[in-house]
Amino acid sequence: RSRTLRTWGSSESRVAEMLAGRLDELDRAGHATIAFLASGIEGMKVRITAKARTAEEVDAILEIEVGEVAGILGDLVFTRDDQSMEAVVLDLLRRRGSTIATAASVTGGMIAARLTGVPGASDVVRGGVVSYASEVKHDVLGVPEGPVVTEAAAAAMAEGVCRVLGADVAVSVTGAAGPDAQEGVPPGTVYFASVVDGATEVGMVRMPGDRERVRQFAVITVLDHLRRRLLAEG
């Protein structure tokens, strides 16, 4: 039998390096194995497989190994139960009684689509604004005139969609997916922001890969950013 943990925030090689000691111990023990699978928008999966004479013995081994691996990887693990990032975020929002709105440029409607693809999301998701054109950012979301591929623009987008859609929480993304630069910003650069109960936080990442990979990585990155905030703030 197998159990799958999903992680985000570090490369496959770094996760393997972190687990190198545990892998050596399992090689010697021979009762379980660990495999890695980079899965784009689904995160980097760590699959633990165990064999034993009975189902009870297998489950006991897996429970121990899941705990060991999760303890080593810490907050890189967003689920021990093979949940999607969006399902984890929705559960956290539901527990605190919060609603969410999204504002997106570089990813189009992908963030809202991922969230609303989870059954029961309607009790949490208010909606989203795909502010692809600069004029939509300015006129609908209240982003100040000027460059729109910036942390300041991402912050204004998140604050604006909170206001427009009446949500407690919001996330936003803007950036250059490629293949060309935008406003002098290199391809693969993504600015993101989140608003939680009126407080705004921003960030920036540079993503590897082609246009589609940048967009997918941007979605899971901004949702992971929000997950960490929700866990920290309770």
Side-chain angles (χ1 to χ4, degrees):
R1 292 184 177 180
S2 297
R3 289 270 301 274
T4 300
L5 293 78
R6 296 195 194 186
T7 75
W8 191 250
S10 190
S11 67
E12 182 177 350
S13 59
R14 174 57 182 150
V15 170
E17 182 182 330
M18 293 172 71
L19 292 175
R22 193 63 191 164
L23 287 166
D24 289 343
E25 291 176 13
L26 291 179
D27 282 344
R28 290 192 294 271
H31 60 260
T33 61
I34 298 177
F36 308 100
L37 178 63
S39 303
I41 205 165
E42 302 296 341
M44 218 285 289
K45 297 180 180 179
V46 180
R47 187 180 65 203
I48 304 168
T49 302
K51 294 181 180 181
R53 291 174 299 174
T54 68
E56 291 77 11
E57 289 179 32
V58 168
D59 289 342
I61 293 169
L62 286 175
E63 191 65 27
I64 292 170
E65 292 307 322
V66 165
E68 291 284 347
V69 171
I72 293 168
L73 297 180
D75 63 4
L76 292 178
V77 176
F78 63 85
T79 178
R80 301 184 182 194
D81 301 310
D82 206 19
Q83 280 183 295
S84 66
M85 179 69 80
E86 54 270 25
V88 171
V89 168
L90 287 171
D91 283 346
L92 290 171
L93 290 166
R94 196 171 283 117
R95 284 179 214 159
R96 73 197 309 271
S98 297
T99 57
I100 186 171
T102 67
S105 177
V106 64
T107 59
M110 291 173 70
I111 302 174
R114 297 292 298 189
L115 290 169
T116 57
V118 179
S122 59
D123 65 341
V124 176
V125 180
R126 293 285 295 170
V129 174
V130 181
S131 52
Y132 212 63
S134 296
E135 293 80 7
V136 177
K137 296 180 180 70
H138 301 316
D139 298 342
V140 176
L141 298 179
V143 176
E145 293 291 333
V148 294
V149 187
T150 65
E151 285 188 350
M157 289 167 63
E159 292 162 1
V161 81
C162 255
R163 182 181 65 254
V164 170
L165 298 185
D168 309 306
V169 172
V171 292
S172 68
V173 287
T174 183
D180 301 320
Q182 186 173 347
E183 296 181 351
V185 175
T189 304
V190 175
Y191 297 98
F192 59 88
S194 64
V195 175
V196 177
D197 297 334
T200 305
E201 290 188 7
V202 297
M204 184 274 286
V205 289
R206 287 200 170 90
M207 307 288 191
D210 59 17
R211 179 180 177 82
E212 184 59 23
R213 182 173 294 185
V214 169
R215 283 155 52 88
Q216 288 194 10
F217 284 0
V219 171
I220 193 170
T221 295
V222 72
L223 289 176
D224 187 53
H225 164 76
L226 177 59
R227 173 187 72 93
R228 292 167 185 261
R229 280 198 71 183
L230 294 173
L231 287 171
E233 298 181 21

